[in-house]
Amino acid sequence: MIRFCARATAAELTKLFGLPAVLAAVLGTIGAAVAITGALAASPAGVNEPVAVVLQAVPYLQAGTISLGVLAVGTEYADGQIHTTLRCVPDRLAVPAAKTLAYLAWATVTAVAALGIGLLTARVALAARNVPVVTDGLPWNVVGAAVHLALIGLLGLTFAALLRAVVSALVVTLSLVLVVSPVLDAVTPHARYLPDRAGDLLYRPDPAQVLTPATGLLVLLGWVVVIGTGAVAAFRRRDA
């Protein structure tokens, strides 16, 4: 079973590499990191520390990993490729598991590359302004930001698996994260339990918050597990 799932995952990794939209999402996320961190660091009114600059860019980079997660599943329904996938891998538990692992591999590389290049861009932009840059070792909140980006994109994957459509999944996930969440955060403290707000604590912990980084991670994972469980259950029952 493990070997079978490993082969399916390898096939999904190769499949994603062959999708122009996936490559565009990856390169777009990295390009956005460069543009946003460069602009923030070049602004005299901005912060003067590379890590702080990169963390300010994370909310905007969520769109990139969400798109990656949605495309990892949704494109198969758009072109009917899911029928071929199920003929090659008839196990309806192995297919979502392989797609999830393949997505996580791509999302991790994308998040690390975007944040790493963003840090470098911020350093260069700050140096151009003659701002002294201090290196204090590995910034663990940047690691937390990478985890957040990968998991928030995984939420998009679960919505795509549940809705079986690229556009619908993108609209639902991006609206939840970029529209509903900021609006509710302005009117109710319960917005802290939304997936992106809980995940924010992985890289921007707030001592005054009810949730800690660990419990915020659990809340975000809870969203993924609940929606993902529904998606897998529906996938096992309905036609492709």
Side-chain angles (χ1 to χ4, degrees), residues 29-58 60-61 114-129 131:
T29 303
I30 295 172
V34 172
I36 295 170
T37 55
L40 290 172
S43 172
V47 294
N48 293 330
E49 205 283 316
V51 171
V53 170
V54 169
L55 296 184
Q56 285 186 341
V58 172
Y60 305 99
L61 301 182
L115 295 174
I117 294 174
L119 273 175
L120 179 61
T121 302
R123 289 178 182 276
V124 171
L126 290 173
R129 291 173 47 210
V131 175

Side-chain angles (χ1 to χ4, degrees), residues 21-32:
V22 167
L23 297 179
V26 172
L27 296 177
T29 303
I30 295 172

Side-chain angles (χ1 to χ4, degrees), residues 127-199:
R129 291 173 47 210
N130 295 318
V131 175
V133 177
V134 179
T135 302
D136 295 323
L138 181 64
W140 287 105
N141 44 0
V142 176
V143 175
V147 173
H148 169 79
L149 286 173
L151 291 180
I152 206 68
L154 187 57
L155 185 69
L157 183 148
T158 60
F159 274 120
L162 184 63
L163 299 174
R164 300 194 294 180
V166 171
V167 175
S168 299
L170 280 174
V171 169
V172 169
T173 314
L174 291 176
S175 296
L176 175 63
V177 171
L178 301 180
V179 179
V180 175
S181 180
V183 170
L184 289 182
D185 186 56
V187 299
T188 174
H190 298 301
R192 69 171 68 98
Y193 296 104
L194 291 172
D196 63 309
R197 296 291 161 179

